[in-house]
Amino acid sequence: MARVAVIGAGISGLATALMLGRRGHTVTCFEQDTRHAGADLNQDFFHWDRPRVPQANHPHSFLAPVRTVLRAETPDVYADLLARGAREYHDFDWFGEHPPHRAGDEDLVTLRTRRIVLEAALTAAVRRESSVAVRQGRRVRALTFGEGRPARVTGVRVGAETHQADLVVDASGRRSPVPGWLTAAGCRPPVVDSHRTGIAYLCRWYRLRADGPRDPGRVRTGSAAPFALAGVFPSDNDTFAVNLVLSTGDPTRGALTDPALFEAVARRFPATAAWLDLAPEPQTAVLAMAGLDNRWTSLVDDEGPVVTGLVNAGDSLVHTNPTLGHGVALGLRAAQYLAAHADRIAADPVGYHTWTAQALRPWFDAQVTADRGNEQRLTERAPSQDRRAAALAACAFDDPVVMRARARVRHLLQSADDAYGTDEVDRAVTDWLATHPDFSPAHDGPTRDQWDALIPA
């Protein structure tokens, strides 16, 4: 059994530490923040300033791998997550009555919850685990190295203390200092593939009134204009977020931080208007997030691992902009693999690097491609949408066959080419178009003139 040091106690760090500890490894998790997710979810979510985790108070929907991994590895965490208010939503719930079951349909479930709820459930479980120690307020300042080529990491340095480890896991997030430490120590540099998205997010949190309606009925959670997207994230404990997405170059972006203007614009989209019509109570100001990129950081190059005794996980390995919600799902999959193969990875990390390239990298590449298309569309430079492609998206909400394919892509279970490229889906789209002869690609959100009319000159 290995001695493992985990740098960072976010979701990926906590999950990795917990799964390793439950397999008998001795784990120490170092976290520079002195605060941890506790019993008061609202205080933690709305009033915890976390500049190193800019996504912490933005909306999340946890995809199928989050539920699958938690139920397999930490069923107590999953039960606690639900007890704290997280809700399951099956993609077929849209239809009211589910179609005849097929193998895999049971996985098409989104967890609707704020990120802090999962953090709190993981924190509570880690604190119950005798083989895991979390050292809060202890910032790792450096790595320690042994002999060999490539160099081997033998532990971490925290203040004046050196903590020896058979394996170090970098789970310190998208702003990880570890790549800089490696190059400063004379290692070959990690291979970084980074793509700036050019996309900005603005969101505001609300709570349904205790004496008011609970939901708007059968309404889609997303709407679109040619230059902006709007969406609703139903969440735990009667909270939900209204979210707007637009280009970072949009001249109106700064004005939308005004709550009244944000809400006036959001009411021009059917999806968000339906929830705002429930007269919810605002819980936050308008929260903005931009400067986002998609980044893959590999600790292996054409010569092999740049270092041994160290691997990266979570956002330190792969982080994507939040449009498709990949982050926590990919982080938990990496944690599960690390825990199951820790001794082998400690001896030689090649297998882990190979697995991440095969299992996780395709979803990173898909996000990069999707973001290029979104950036073009939001700046109104995209070509007109193909009629059949638009029909594929529209008919998913009428046809369970297409909804199943859509859900399998969304939940990281199947590539778009494989899910949509079947005769069954092709026939379903053809039949749908035959019954909708006047269908043409369109947006349900405002025109640019309608949008600009709401913005003060």
Side-chain angles (χ1 to χ4, degrees), residues 199-202 221-233 242-247 250 256 262 265-266 269 271-272 321 323-324 370-371 373-375 377-378 443-446 451:
I199 297 172
Y201 295 82
L202 299 105
T221 55
S223 293
F227 51 87
L229 305 174
V232 174
F233 287 77
V242 169
N243 197 53
L244 297 178
V245 183
L246 62 163
S247 167
D250 193 297
L256 293 175
F262 174 88
V265 168
F269 294 88
T272 44
N321 104 70
T323 308
L324 303 181
D371 283 344
N374 280 336
E375 185 178 3
R377 186 160 69 80
L378 294 174
H443 299 95
D444 60 352
W451 176 287

Side-chain angles (χ1 to χ4, degrees), residues 187 200 282 288 341 361 364 381 385 429:
C187 300
H341 303 89
R361 177 71 195 228
F364 169 82
R381 291 186 283 107
Q385 189 176 12
V429 177

Side-chain angles (χ1 to χ4, degrees), residues 9-344:
I11 285 177
S12 289
L14 290 169
T16 300
L18 181 62
M19 294 179 203
L20 283 164
R22 291 189 174 180
R23 281 178 168 83
H25 303 286
T26 302
V27 187
T28 306
C29 190
F30 297 93
E31 169 54 49
Q32 62 181 308
D33 204 323
T34 58
R35 183 170 176 173
H36 61 83
D40 191 335
L41 296 176
N42 290 326
Q43 182 69 23
D44 288 342
F45 185 74
F46 295 122
H47 304 292
W48 184 359
D49 182 26
R50 306 176 74 177
R52 290 184 296 273
V53 193
Q55 73 276 24
N57 57 4
H58 280 256
H60 286 70
S61 285
F62 295 137
L63 304 178
V66 176
R67 178 174 178 267
T68 302
V69 171
L70 291 177
R71 292 176 75 194
E73 301 291 334
T74 59
D76 56 320
V77 173
Y78 191 73
D80 189 17
L81 186 62
L82 296 180
R84 292 173 187 264
R87 296 183 293 155
E88 294 185 343
Y89 177 84
H90 196 289
D91 285 57
F92 287 155
D93 289 348
W94 170 259
F95 299 113
E97 182 177 343
H98 288 204
H101 180 82
R102 293 187 185 179
D105 283 354
E106 64 278 4
D107 293 327
L108 307 180
V109 176
T110 299
L111 285 172
R112 291 177 162 180
T113 182
R114 290 169 292 171
R115 176 190 174 98
I116 196 69
V117 180
L118 176 54
E119 285 190 84
L122 284 168
T123 297
V126 165
R127 290 180 176 277
R128 295 192 300 267
E129 194 63 38
S130 61
S131 58
V132 179
V134 177
R135 301 183 66 178
Q136 212 78 35
R138 301 301 304 275
R139 182 179 180 182
V140 175
R141 298 285 183 178
L143 303 171
T144 58
F145 294 87
E147 300 296 326
R149 288 181 61 84
R152 181 172 185 83
V153 172
T154 58
V156 298
R157 193 163 288 136
V158 184
E161 175 190 357
T162 296
H163 183 89
Q164 299 294 324
D166 303 305
L167 177 65
V168 175
V169 179
D170 175 18
S172 59
R174 63 185 63 189
R175 297 173 180 172
S176 169
V178 169
W181 295 343
L182 294 176
T183 54
C187 300
R188 301 191 311 276
V191 179
V192 178
D193 186 7
S194 186
H195 305 262
R196 185 53 63 103
T197 65
I199 297 172
Y201 295 82
L202 299 105
C203 80
R204 194 181 194 198
W205 284 91
Y206 297 83
R207 187 180 299 277
L208 296 170
R209 297 179 185 275
D211 57 350
R214 314 317 299 154
D215 66 70
R218 194 168 180 264
V219 177
R220 297 188 195 182
T221 55
S223 293
F227 51 87
L229 305 174
V232 174
F233 287 77
S235 198
D236 62 278
N237 298 297
D238 291 337
T239 61
F240 69 90
V242 169
N243 197 53
L244 297 178
V245 183
L246 62 163
S247 167
T248 53
D250 193 297
T252 65
R253 177 164 66 99
L256 293 175
T257 57
D258 174 77
L261 184 57
F262 174 88
E263 189 163 312
V265 168
R267 287 186 176 277
R268 299 307 300 257
F269 294 88
T272 44
W275 284 80
L276 292 173
D277 284 346
L278 302 178
E281 298 175 320
Q283 302 294 300
T284 66
V286 178
L287 311 175
M289 182 168 60
L292 300 168
D293 57 8
N294 299 307
R295 187 186 307 142
W296 178 273
T297 303
S298 176
L299 301 183
V300 61
D301 60 17
D302 291 341
E303 297 181 40
V306 302
V307 70
T308 62
L310 168 76
V311 293
N312 51 0
D315 283 356
S316 299
L317 167 66
V318 50
H319 73 261
T320 54
N321 104 70
T323 308
L324 303 181
H326 290 172
V328 173
L330 298 184
L332 290 191
R333 288 195 63 195
Q336 184 181 42
Y337 188 92
L338 270 170
H341 303 89
D343 288 321
R344 189 186 313 167

